[in-house]
Amino acid sequence: MTSSSKFSPKIRRRTLLAGAGSTALLAMTGATRAQDAVSGELVVLNWLGGSELDMMHSIRKAFLAKYPNVTIREVAITGQGDMRGGIRTALMGGEVVDVLFNTWPAFRKELVDAGMLRPIDDQWKSFGWDKLVSQSWKDLGAIDGKTYGLTYTFGDRSGIWYKKEHLAKAGIAEPPKTWDEFVASFAKLTKAGYAAPIAIPGKYWAHAEWFETLLLRTAGVETAAKLGAHEIPWTDPAVKTALTKYAEMLTSGCCGAPNTMLANDWDGEADQVFQANAKNYLLIGMWMNNRAKNDYKLTEGKDYGLFQFPSLGMGHDDTSSVDAKELLVTTNGPNPKAADAFLDFWTSAEAANILAKAGYASPSSNVDASLYGEVQKVATQAVASSKLQFVLGDLLPGDLVDEYRVQLQKFLQDPSDANIDTVLAAIETKAKGSY
C-alpha cells in the first residue's frame, strides 16, 4: 500500500463514466474504511533533534492527515552524544511505546534479545514493501532470518563536507582526490587564514569517523566486518595501519590543539566551518545537508559541497562507510495496527519526497530522485558504486563502543606509535569481555 494509491482507472470514453464512477466510489470507500480502521493513540519514541526533527514532524503531519482517527504521543529523548543510554532508561523505566527510531544495529539486537521487538516480515508482504525497498535494505534490518527494522533513510559516511569559498580563497581549484593532495591542502588553507583545515569533533563519538573510513580504505570491508564481530583483535596490524594514517593527518597540521577537538561535538564544529569560517573540512553524516540548508540557509551545490574520502592507493578505494535510520515496532505496544500504518507511510511517495526535499535519501522507489540536490546526488552515487560497510561504532556492543571512543580520544592527545599500541591494547582488553 502506498499513499498515492490510484482509486480509479483512467477514463477514455464518456460512455463508461457511470460504471467507472461506481467502481471508483467502491474503491475509495474501501480505502477510506481501511484508514478509518486505524485509530487511537500511537506512541512514538524519538531522539531526533534540530532540523531533522522538523523533517520528522512534517512526515508525521502528513501521516495524521491520511489517518485522522490517529493521535500521536511523542516520547522525546534528549541529551548529547550516543542516545542509546537515554532510550534504555526510558524503556527500563516503564515507558511503553509502539514505534522507535533507531540507527544502531547492535542496539536493535539488544532489544530483540530482550524480547522487545516485533518482527515485520508479514508486513513486508502485506504492505508491498518488497516492491518498494530493495532486498539489501531488508537484509540490513534482519537478525537471525527475521526482519525487525524498516530503513527510512541512509547516508554516506565517507563524504567530506566543505564550503566552496574556502577552497577558492586558498587557491584550491577542486576538492583533493588523493591522500597526498588532501594533506598538501592543509598548508594552503592555513596560509589563507583559517584556524584549522579539519574540524574534528572529539567530545563524544564523531572523532571515530576518520578512523572508520581509513580502516576501510587501508584494509577493506572484510577486515572492518571482522573487527566489528571481533573475529580479529584490535591489536591486528591492519587496525594499527589505519590509526597510523590518522596519526599522519594529525601530525601534518590538520586540526589544531587536542583540547579544542575534545571540547566540541559535531554541531559545534559544523558551526566553525559553515558559520564562523574558521575551519574547512568536516567528515560527518548526511544530516549535515539538512542542517546546512535549513539552519545555515546555504544553497546546496553553490555555497557548500561534498567530496568522497580521498584515495589512498592501497587497493580499497572503492569502499564507503554508510549508516541508516530505521523504524522498529515493539512487542508490547498497544496500537500495532497504527504502528504498522506509520511504518508503511514512510515508504510512500509523500514521505519519501519530504525526505528528499529536506536533503535526505530514501530507499523507497517511490522517491522522486529529481528532488535530490547536488550534494545528495554525489552521496547516493558513492553509495551505489562502493563496497559498503556499516558504521563500525554502531555495530559494537554498548560497553565496548564507549571504551573505543574514549581510547580514540586518548589517541588524539598523543598520536605516537607507542600510544597507538597502548590504545589498541586497551580496546582489545575490553572487547574480550564484550561478546
Side-chain angles (χ1 to χ4, degrees):
M1 181 177 74
T2 71
S3 65
S4 55
S5 300
K6 294 180 176 63
F7 296 133
S8 59
K10 190 173 182 179
I11 306 300
R12 291 191 175 89
R13 296 180 59 185
R14 295 178 64 87
T15 53
L16 295 179
L17 278 174
S22 61
T23 301
L25 180 60
L26 286 171
M28 291 179 68
T29 301
T32 301
R33 286 173 179 166
Q35 291 171 16
D36 288 344
V38 180
S39 61
E41 182 182 69
L42 176 68
V43 184
V44 177
L45 189 150
N46 168 57
W47 47 270
L48 306 178
S51 52
E52 188 173 9
L53 178 63
D54 295 337
M55 174 275 295
M56 189 274 282
H57 284 164
S58 294
I59 293 178
R60 185 181 73 177
K61 181 179 178 181
F63 169 79
L64 293 174
K66 181 175 180 180
Y67 294 97
N69 293 326
V70 175
T71 60
I72 291 181
R73 179 169 68 88
E74 184 177 317
V75 177
I77 305 297
T78 59
Q80 292 182 307
D82 194 317
M83 297 303 294
R84 282 177 277 187
I87 298 171
R88 287 190 197 97
T89 299
L91 296 176
M92 291 174 65
E95 197 65 73
V96 177
V97 303
D98 296 291
V99 177
L100 296 88
F101 287 84
N102 181 56
T103 193
W104 310 274
F107 189 50
R108 185 205 315 131
K109 185 176 188 307
E110 182 181 326
L111 296 173
V112 168
D113 290 345
M116 299 185 70
L117 297 185
R118 175 164 54 91
I120 54 174
D121 292 284
D122 290 344
Q123 288 83 341
W124 275 87
K125 295 178 182 178
S126 62
F127 285 105
W129 298 340
D130 54 343
K131 298 178 179 63
L132 299 173
V133 182
S134 72
Q135 182 66 36
S136 61
W137 290 116
K138 183 180 181 183
D139 292 343
L140 184 68
I143 296 173
D144 296 332
K146 292 183 178 180
T147 311
Y148 294 92
L150 175 65
T151 298
Y152 68 84
T153 192
F154 62 92
D156 172 20
R157 292 286 280 269
S158 294
I160 298 174
W161 300 86
Y162 69 103
K163 204 167 181 179
K164 293 196 171 185
E165 67 180 48
H166 292 180
L167 298 195
K169 182 180 177 182
I172 302 171
E174 59 181 8
K177 292 183 172 60
T178 69
W179 183 255
D180 289 343
E181 290 174 354
F182 182 59
V183 174
S185 74
F186 301 165
K188 296 178 182 179
L189 290 162
T190 301
K191 186 178 180 180
Y194 298 106
I198 297 180
I200 298 280
K203 188 173 184 178
Y204 296 112
W205 56 269
H207 55 298
E209 300 285 292
W210 290 93
F211 164 73
E212 294 184 10
T213 289
L214 281 167
L215 180 64
L216 293 177
R217 293 299 175 93
T218 57
V221 296
E222 295 83 4
T223 298
K226 289 178 180 178
L227 183 62
H230 203 220
E231 294 173 3
I232 60 172
W234 283 84
T235 51
D236 189 276
V239 184
K240 183 173 181 178
T241 296
L243 265 191
T244 302
K245 273 294 179 184
Y246 198 164
E248 180 184 322
M249 189 178 82
L250 291 169
T251 56
S252 298
C254 71
C255 309
N259 62 333
T260 302
M261 291 184 261
L262 296 173
N264 290 299
D265 200 4
W266 75 270
D267 49 355
E269 289 297 273
D271 291 347
Q272 287 295 302
V273 175
F274 295 103
Q275 286 188 316
N277 294 309
K279 300 181 181 181
N280 311 113
Y281 300 130
L282 178 65
L283 179 65
I284 206 70
M286 292 306 297
W287 58 86
M288 183 64 239
N289 199 30
N290 184 283
R291 185 177 181 88
K293 292 170 67 170
N294 296 292
D295 292 2
Y296 302 146
K297 307 302 180 186
L298 299 176
T299 301
E300 181 179 354
K302 177 185 176 183
D303 297 324
Y304 67 96
L306 179 80
F307 65 94
Q308 279 307 103
F309 203 91
S311 61
L312 273 70
M314 298 178 68
H316 303 288
D317 290 324
D318 59 344
T319 58
S320 290
S321 176
V322 294
D323 65 3
K325 286 190 172 73
E326 63 186 7
L327 293 159
L328 308 171
V329 290
T330 63
T331 52
N332 63 342
N335 200 344
K337 187 176 289 187
D340 292 346
F342 186 69
L343 266 61
D344 178 56
F345 188 74
W346 284 75
T347 71
S348 70
E350 189 171 4
N353 291 339
I354 290 173
L355 281 159
K357 290 174 184 176
Y360 294 94
S362 169
S364 173
S365 61
N366 273 327
V367 70
D368 179 358
S370 69
L371 295 173
Y372 290 149
E374 177 187 304
V375 163
Q376 191 56 259
K377 287 176 181 176
V378 169
T380 52
Q381 175 58 37
V383 171
S385 60
S386 296
K387 295 175 182 176
L388 304 176
Q389 173 62 27
F390 209 87
V391 174
L392 178 63
D394 292 348
L395 295 172
L396 301 179
D399 56 344
L400 175 59
V401 77
D402 291 340
E403 184 69 18
Y404 159 64
R405 290 165 178 165
V406 167
Q407 290 300 325
L408 286 187
Q409 288 171 332
K410 294 179 179 178
F411 160 78
L412 291 179
Q413 297 171 76
D414 176 12
S416 67
D417 191 68
N419 195 47
I420 288 174
D421 290 337
T422 300
V423 161
L424 293 179
I427 302 173
E428 175 58 21
T429 297
K430 187 68 174 182
K432 287 178 178 177
S434 297
Y435 288 83

